[in-house]
C-alpha cells in the first residue's frame, strides 16, 4: 500500500506571559480523512511540558516517550533534554529513520525538534510544524503584531485560518496552555 498519511498543524505561541500549544485533529490516508478528532498535543513530565507532533503517529509517540525519559534524567530541564534527544535522534541508527517532528514547550522555552538534529527556538515566540504550519504561523504572527487579542484567542484564530487553507488540517483544535 503506497498511501501516505498526511496532515497536522501544530502551533506554539509564547505571548503576554503565556504559552499556548494547539494542534488540529485530522488524520488523512491518501485522499481520505480517516480521523477527525486525533489528539496531537499532550502534556508530559508532571504536566510541566506541552508537546505537539507532526508525522507518523507511532514515531511521534516514541519520540515523546524518549523526551520524557530525557526529562526524567535531567530533572525537567527542557533545554538539555531537547538537545540530548535531537543528538540521539540524529545519530542513532533506529531513531534516525523515524518520520516525525515535535514542538516542546515549558514555562521558559519553546523548541522545534527534528531528526536532522535541529533544536530551534523561535525569535518571536511563534513556531509551527505540519502541513498547515505556514498559514498558522503567518496568521499568529500577524495577530500578535496587529491586535491586542489574548494568546489563546490568537491561536484559535490562527488555527482556524490554517484549517480554512490546508486540506490536511481541520478545525477540531486541541489547546494546552501554561
Amino acid at each position: 500500500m503506497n498511501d501516505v498519511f498526511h496532515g497536522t498543524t501544530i502551533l506554539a505561541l509564547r505571548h503576554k506571559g503565556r504559552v499556548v500549544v494547539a494542534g488540529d485533529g485530522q488524520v488523512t490516508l491518501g485522499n481520505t480523512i480517516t480521523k477527525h478528532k486525533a489528539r496531537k498535543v499532550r502534556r508530559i513530565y508532571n504536566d510541566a511540558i506541552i508537546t505537539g507532533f507532526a508525522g507518523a503517529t507511532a514515531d511521534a509517540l516514541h519520540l515523546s516517550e524518549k523526551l520524557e525519559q530525557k526529562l526524567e534524567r535531567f530533572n525537567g530541564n527542557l533545554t538539555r533534554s531537547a538537545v540530548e534527544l535531537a543528538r540521539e535522534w540524529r545519530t542513532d541508527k533506529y531513531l534516525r529513520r523515524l518520520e516525525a517532528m515535535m514542538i516542546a514547550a515549558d514555562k521558559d522555552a519553546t523548541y522545534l525538534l527534528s531528526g536532522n538534529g535541529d533544536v530551534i527556538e523561535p525569535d518571536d515566540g511563534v513556531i509551527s510544524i505540519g502541513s498547515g504550519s505556514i498559514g498558522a504561523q503567518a496568521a499568529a504572527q500577524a495577530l500578535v503584531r496587529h491586535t491586542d487579542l489574548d494568546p489563546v484567542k490568537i491561536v484559535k484564530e490562527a488555527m482556524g485560518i490554517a484549517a480554512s487553507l490546508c486540506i490536511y488540517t481541520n478545525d477540531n483544535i486541541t489547546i494546552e496552555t501554561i
Side-chain angles (χ1 to χ4, degrees), residues 59 62 129 133:
D59 293 353
H62 182 72
I129 56 175
S133 65

Side-chain angles (χ1 to χ4, degrees), residues 41-175:
V41 174
R42 67 185 202 126
R43 291 179 172 273
I44 62 172
Y45 193 73
N46 303 316
D47 293 338
I49 311 285
I50 302 171
T51 61
F53 64 84
T57 304
D59 293 353
L61 292 174
H62 182 72
L63 290 168
S64 184
E65 289 171 6
K66 293 292 277 182
L67 178 60
E68 193 151 22
Q69 290 170 3
K70 300 290 184 197
L71 288 162
E72 292 290 337
R73 180 175 173 203
F74 297 115
N75 299 315
N77 182 324
L78 179 59
T79 301
R80 180 126 186 241
S81 299
V83 168
E84 286 297 314
L85 175 61
R87 183 194 56 75
E88 184 178 346
W89 188 357
R90 189 174 138 271
T91 60
D92 183 271
K93 196 158 71 169
Y94 168 74
L95 289 179
R96 129 175 108 217
R97 296 178 59 189
L98 299 180
E99 296 181 13
M101 294 182 82
M102 177 186 293
I103 288 178
D106 68 5
K107 63 182 179 54
D108 300 316
T110 302
Y111 298 111
L112 180 153
L113 298 119
S114 81
N116 296 327
D118 297 319
V119 179
I120 300 169
E121 185 172 19
D123 291 332
D124 60 0
V126 183
I127 199 155
S128 62
I129 56 175
S131 56
S133 65
I134 291 175
Q137 187 165 336
Q141 287 173 329
L143 290 167
V144 164
R145 290 183 186 132
H146 301 291
T147 70
D148 195 33
L149 292 175
D150 172 82
V152 173
K153 182 71 173 163
I154 288 171
V155 167
K156 284 181 182 176
E157 291 294 323
M159 290 295 289
I161 290 168
S164 73
L165 297 172
C166 177
I167 63 170
Y168 298 114
T169 301
N170 72 9
D171 60 2
N172 185 346
I173 309 299
T174 301
I175 296 177

